Amino acid sequence: MKKIKLFIILLFICGCTPQPSQPKPQVIPPTPLPENDFLIIGHRGASAYAAGHTLAAYEMAVLMGADYIEIDLQMTKDGKLVALHESVVTLHNAQQAVADVTFDEIQLLSPGKEFDRNHLSYTLPNSLDLRIVDLSKILTYFGDRVNYYIEMKSPKVYPGIEEELLRQLSEHHLLNRDDPIPKVIIQSFSAKSLKEVFALEPSIPLIQLYKFSKKAHLSKKELKDVTTYAAGVGVNVEAVNRKFVDKMHSENLLVHPYTVNDEDMMRSLMDLGVNGIFTDRPDVALRVRNDQSSTEIELYP
C-alpha cells in the first residue's frame, strides 16, 4: 500500500514539475544576392542573335558578357529537363504538351527554322542544325565557367521537377560554393515551388516572378510572405516604377525586370536603381553598364 502511495506521489510531482520548453525552429533567412551589381541576364541566351535556349544562344550570351544565362525548364514524358519556354510544341502536325512527349520526339523540332523566319538579318551558319537541349547537356557543356539563372516553368504540371533540378545541380557541383556571385539563381511564378526549393536547399537565391497589368505593387501580406524565402523579384518591365523599386529595396529584395532590349529603357532602369535586367541583347546591356560606370568614374574621381 505504501509503495502504491509513493508511486502516485511521484506521478503527481512529475506532472506538476515545469517541463523545459521546446526550442523554436530556426528560421533560415533567404540567401541574398549582391546589392551593388547590375546583373546582365541573357534571356534564353543571346536570343536576339540566335535561336533561344540553344547552345549557340547561350554561348553567344557568354561571349557578349552576360553575367547569367537564363534557362526555362520543362519536363518531358521520360523525365528529361529540357530548355524550352513553351509548354506546348507542334509535332507531327499536332500540338502536344511537352509533358506528353519524349525527349527523342522533342529532338525532331528545329528551333533555328522558326528563328530564321523572324530574324533573317541574324541568321547563323548551320542554324537549322540547332536542337533543343536538356539541362544535363547544358551543365556538362558549360560546367562552372558560367552562371545559371533557371526558371521552373509550370512546376504544377511536372511533379518532382524541384528535386530533379537540385539533383542535377548537385551532381555538377554547382551548389554551396564560394563564388563572387551565386553560381545558380532559381526563379518561378509559383511561390509554392520556390518554397519547396527553399526547404530542400536554402543556399540558392530565389526570385519570385510577377506579371502586373498595371503598376507593380505588392500588398503588405504579399511582401511579408515573399521576404521569407526570396532574395528578389522579377517583374515585367512595363510595370516597374520607382516607388516599387524603393519599396523592394527597403525590404532587402532586389529587382530584376524582364525583358529589356531597348537601350534607352536600360538606362532609365539603371537610373531607377534596379539590380539587373533580362535581355535578348547582352552586348547592348554591357555597353550601357560600361557607359554608366565610366560616367560615375568621371563624376567621382
Side-chain angles (χ1 to χ4, degrees), residues 66-77:
D67 298 300
Y68 285 86
I69 56 173
E70 189 224 14
I71 305 171
D72 292 332
L73 286 185
Q74 312 279 354
M75 183 181 276
T76 62
K77 183 179 180 180

Side-chain angles (χ1 to χ4, degrees), residues 113-124:
K113 184 177 181 180
E114 187 66 27
F115 179 84
D116 286 348
R117 189 181 305 161
N118 296 320
H119 304 75
L120 296 180
S121 60
Y122 298 131
T123 301
L124 293 172

